[in-house]
Amino acid sequence: MSTAQLVRDRVHTAYWDHDWHCAMTTLHVLAEVFGFDLHQQVLDAAVGMYGAGGYRAQCGLVEGGLMAIGILGRAQGLAEETVGDVCYAYAESFEGHFDSLLCRELRPGGFQPDDPPHLCEDLTREAILFDVDFIARAVYKEEGLARNGALT
């Protein structure tokens, strides 16, 4: 199965079968793609990470990606400073690709009672595929990373 198909299937299952929010979905899918364990404490920490509990601050898609970078970067033996540099480059790159890091801009209508279910499903798939590509390049080949986000 291709990565794109795996992401499509897992995001759909996460939203429709488990009713997970975007950060939890991102963490679960990235854990499967990159083969790392998600400990309960990490999942507990992610409970309110969907725009800060719906406040529409930093998007849970970003937060899930940042958490995965921390988990994978440290597992790969990267120094804290390097993981910080990778997270900076990720945020800069995500913002450049999606035009924002904020839930209130990525989901401009916010969270309304009359929203269709899982309104961000397509955006979630796109963001996770972005994450997979970014992490594969940045975490596993971090030597080309500069603070301004340039990857070589």
Side-chain angles (χ1 to χ4, degrees):
M1 175 183 309
S2 71
T3 301
Q5 187 61 48
L6 178 112
V7 169
R8 173 176 287 286
D9 292 350
R10 297 308 187 267
V11 167
H12 186 79
T13 298
Y15 280 164
W16 293 93
D17 294 352
H18 300 290
D19 202 28
W20 293 335
H21 60 64
C22 53
M24 294 287 251
T25 298
T26 300
L27 280 168
H28 279 281
V29 175
L30 291 175
E32 183 172 351
V33 169
F34 288 103
F36 64 88
D37 292 327
L38 278 176
H39 299 283
Q40 189 60 48
Q41 192 172 32
V42 172
L43 295 172
D44 292 344
V47 166
M49 290 187 181
Y50 56 100
Y55 184 71
R56 298 177 54 223
Q58 184 168 276
C59 180
L61 296 172
V62 175
E63 294 168 330
L66 290 168
M67 290 179 76
I69 289 168
I71 292 166
L72 287 166
R74 296 300 280 157
Q76 291 297 311
L78 301 182
E80 286 182 28
E81 182 179 347
T82 302
V83 171
D85 288 344
V86 173
C87 286
Y88 185 100
Y90 169 80
E92 186 174 62
S93 187
F94 190 101
E95 185 175 43
H97 185 84
F98 293 98
D99 296 325
S100 183
L101 301 174
L102 299 175
C103 183
R104 72 176 48 95
E105 294 171 0
L106 295 168
R107 185 182 172 124
F111 296 87
Q112 305 301 321
D114 59 343
D115 282 346
H118 310 298
L119 185 61
C120 291
E121 187 171 357
D122 289 339
L123 178 61
T124 301
R125 284 194 289 263
E126 185 181 351
I128 292 173
L129 288 170
F130 173 88
D131 293 353
V132 169
D133 179 63
F134 183 91
I135 290 168
R137 289 181 300 116
V139 172
Y140 294 99
K141 298 178 184 176
E142 79 285 353
E143 65 276 354
L145 185 66
R147 189 64 160 165
N148 66 5
L151 293 170
T152 59

